[in-house]
Amino acid sequence: MHRRGAFIVAIAAAGLSACAGTPAALRPQAVQAAAAEAKGYLTGPLIQALADAVPPPPVAGSPTDLADKARSNQFKTLEDSDRWLLATAHAELRPPLALQHFDCALGVRLGSAATPNLNRLMQKLFDDSDAAAELVKARGFRARPVGDDPARRPCQRVSEAGRRGASYPSGSSTVATVYGEAFAALDPERATEARRIAHEIGLSRLICGMHYPSDVAAGEVLGKAVFEAAAAAPGFDADLAAARAELDAVRAAGLTSPACAAERLALATPLP
């Protein structure tokens, strides 16, 4: 099945259809505002409400769970391929280093001290999205593919505790989606490319054996909800404007990533 078709099936099975947009229960106006938290843009109660609106993981042995496991096994064929190597890089999701995943999509060179406002914006968004995903994980445990199959090779170094960690939702996909939405807001002309890379980071977590398709689908929906809520928070617009000025300055400097040719090659790898 074509990769986008597979994701549409996974999202529909989980009751998370992206076609309808962000579910009403996940929109910021559906929850109560409270005093701002120190780390990110969102309040503790708002983060909790966003997490509470995410459906539970698929029941073990259910059709969705079995389909997830069958699909996950297909990704083993990509081990040691160019796409596998790209997935190892995508495992890094903390700013500022993670911002380099979007270099080629945006036509710039990111992840440096030259963009403190951009780095700060993305750190706040990381904190909000990571906190929301962790709250969902704590509510209902689902094992990772590398946890279900101890012989499964992850594409990154994983501790035993990490192998036994919770898979649903994909926190990496949640964070990547928030980054993608933020870059789309910062550079609307390249919004499609930014969102594509965010989705590819989610696919990388499937290739790595760290998440199942339903985990990534849920993470993408949660990430969009987190960004929508953060974008409505006090101070966000000013932070976005400051980050956009830095992005424009970096682009004017003309620096681009030498890794873009390799990325294009890796992303052209057919998925199983």
Side-chain angles (χ1 to χ4, degrees), residues 27-39:
R27 293 174 188 152
Q29 61 265 32
V31 295
Q32 296 293 321
E37 295 289 343
K39 281 192 172 183

Side-chain angles (χ1 to χ4, degrees), residues 99-100 102-115 187 190 246-260:
L99 306 188
Q100 296 176 54
F102 295 86
D103 280 0
C104 304
L106 299 174
V108 296
R109 187 75 181 271
L110 299 174
S112 72
T115 56
D187 192 349
R190 295 174 174 83
E246 288 181 343
L247 184 60
D248 290 343
V250 169
R251 178 169 290 117
L255 292 179
T256 57
S257 173
C260 292

Side-chain angles (χ1 to χ4, degrees), residues 22-54:
T22 305
L26 285 174
R27 293 174 188 152
Q29 61 265 32
V31 295
Q32 296 293 321
E37 295 289 343
K39 281 192 172 183
Y41 291 102
L42 304 184
T43 67
L46 178 49
I47 292 173
Q48 184 67 62
L50 293 170
D52 288 346
V54 178

Side-chain angles (χ1 to χ4, degrees), residues 3 14 32 35 37 42 48 71 73 79 87-88 121 123 159-160 175 186 215-216 226 243 257 260:
R3 65 176 183 268
Q32 296 293 321
E37 295 289 343
L42 304 184
Q48 184 67 62
R71 182 73 179 121
N73 285 333
E79 290 181 4
T88 67
L121 170 77
Q123 183 64 57
S159 66
E160 283 305 310
V175 170
L186 286 165
D215 308 333
V216 170
V226 168
S257 173
C260 292

Side-chain angles (χ1 to χ4, degrees), residues 11-28:
I11 294 171
L16 296 171
S17 175
C19 297
T22 305
L26 285 174
R27 293 174 188 152

Side-chain angles (χ1 to χ4, degrees), residues 90-91 93 133 137 144 169-177 198 201-202 205 211:
H90 283 167
L93 280 170
K137 288 176 185 286
R144 299 181 185 277
S170 168
S172 296
S173 185
T174 303
V175 170
T177 299
I201 292 172
R205 307 309 286 160
H211 293 289

